[in-house]
Amino acid sequence: MCWPAEKLLQETGSCVAVRLWLLNRGLETRSALKIKKHHQHSKGGVSQCHGGCSEVDSMTEAVAGEGFLLGCISCKRREEVSARATVDWHFKPPGEEEFRHIFHYDHPSADILHEDFSDRLEWHGTQDSDIQTGAIYIHNVTFNDTGTYLCEIHRTILLSQYDEHVTVEKEVELSVVAVATREMTAVVAEIMMYVLIVVLQLWLIVTLVYCYKKISEEHEAREARKALKAQAELLESKDNCDGVQIE
């Protein structure tokens, strides 16, 4: 799973760095891989990175003129069992009943099969014959790309006694909009950020006022003590003068 990031792992020794690298690659999918760090108790204590698969639904809203990643993840039940898989993508526009076969991937070859998507589809899935992530990237999305996408992963599980064939299907209902609509979580997060900024500013103002009053009160008290001390010294001086005159 971690083959593309071996060099990064060797340089940084950090599986967190590898994960960020993966997420910033075609796996901005939000996706797929959870990175865990294990220490091998062999020569040199070499760090190894092992991938764990997590099935996450694809995003469903694309913006016209931009790119969009169609996610399709199908995890094996047992990672240690070898398998081989191919992926097919189909598309059905609104109002139609039949799917059109638009893309086929059989490692390492990727074929675009429909003229409407010519030069616009790119494989962003697993770079291996043991496919678990079958994502494709659509370049220059148009409103005609609105519709239902069907992802089929045809997996052959290579068992010791026989091969088992499994087909997994996942559908994505894609809508294309002119301007991206913000997610509710993003809106709430922004509101909370501004509320927090206002609260902190108010707290800072209250703290400054309190400190100013405290310093002012201490200054007035100090001045009052000085005045009392000066008055006491003046009275003592006057008493001494009176004593000298009496003598």
Side-chain angles (χ1 to χ4, degrees):
M1 277 295 178
C2 302
W3 104 101
E6 287 176 357
K7 184 176 179 182
L8 181 62
L9 181 62
Q10 290 171 0
E11 291 176 352
T12 64
S14 170
C15 281
V16 173
V18 177
R19 184 182 183 188
L20 291 173
W21 185 89
L22 287 168
L23 291 175
N24 287 330
R25 300 287 297 174
L27 307 176
E28 323 146 321
T29 59
R30 305 192 169 206
S31 76
L33 297 175
K34 296 177 180 176
I35 303 301
K36 299 179 182 178
K37 188 174 182 181
H38 299 280
H39 293 282
Q40 186 182 30
H41 298 291
S42 61
K43 240 197 299 193
V46 179
S47 295
Q48 287 190 332
C49 184
H50 301 278
C53 183
S54 177
E55 296 194 10
V56 180
D57 292 336
S58 173
M59 303 295 284
T60 58
E61 184 179 276
V63 179
E66 298 184 6
F68 183 78
L69 187 70
L70 280 170
C72 177
I73 302 172
S74 174
C75 301
K76 294 188 302 184
R77 292 186 179 181
R78 300 186 62 175
E79 289 286 339
E80 69 275 13
V81 177
S82 298
R84 176 177 174 79
T86 61
V87 177
D88 290 286
W89 277 92
H90 305 265
F91 171 62
K92 182 175 69 174
E96 294 189 14
E97 296 186 1
E98 297 295 326
F99 278 95
R100 307 170 182 175
H101 196 184
I102 62 172
F103 187 85
H104 175 75
Y105 184 81
D106 187 356
H107 183 75
S109 63
D111 300 308
I112 301 173
L113 304 176
H114 198 280
E115 59 183 8
D116 289 350
F117 294 90
S118 180
D119 298 325
R120 292 201 301 126
L121 298 181
E122 182 181 350
W123 177 251
H124 272 223
T126 306
Q127 300 293 331
D128 190 307
S129 60
D130 188 358
I131 299 170
Q132 296 190 80
T133 301
I136 59 173
Y137 191 82
I138 307 176
H139 292 275
N140 191 24
V141 173
T142 69
F143 289 103
N144 291 331
D145 295 332
T146 298
T148 304
Y149 290 81
L150 175 64
C151 169
E152 293 180 339
I153 297 180
H154 305 280
R155 178 175 292 131
T156 301
I157 302 172
L158 307 175
L159 303 175
S160 56
Q161 301 296 326
Y162 62 95
D163 294 343
E164 181 178 350
H165 302 280
V166 178
T167 299
V168 178
E169 295 184 352
K170 293 179 179 287
E171 286 192 4
V172 180
E173 292 288 342
L174 180 65
S175 59
V176 180
V177 297
V179 180
T181 56
R182 301 180 65 190
E183 294 183 3
M184 182 58 66
T185 52
V187 174
V188 172
E190 186 173 349
I191 293 172
M192 291 302 297
M193 179 186 70
Y194 286 120
V195 169
L196 184 60
I197 290 172
V198 171
V199 170
L200 288 174
Q201 288 180 338
L202 290 175
W203 176 80
L204 180 61
I205 292 171
V206 170
T207 302
L208 290 173
V209 170
Y210 172 78
C211 291
Y212 176 78
K213 289 181 67 177
K214 195 75 174 174
I215 292 171
S216 178
E217 289 173 359
E218 289 180 358
H219 179 71
E220 290 176 359
R222 186 165 56 250
E223 291 298 321
R225 287 194 298 271
K226 285 183 179 179
L228 288 174
K229 185 177 179 181
Q231 186 177 4
E233 290 176 351
L234 181 62
L235 290 174
E236 184 179 352
S237 173
K238 185 177 179 182
D239 289 341
N240 290 338
C241 289
D242 291 342
V244 170
Q245 290 176 358
I246 292 172
E247 289 179 1

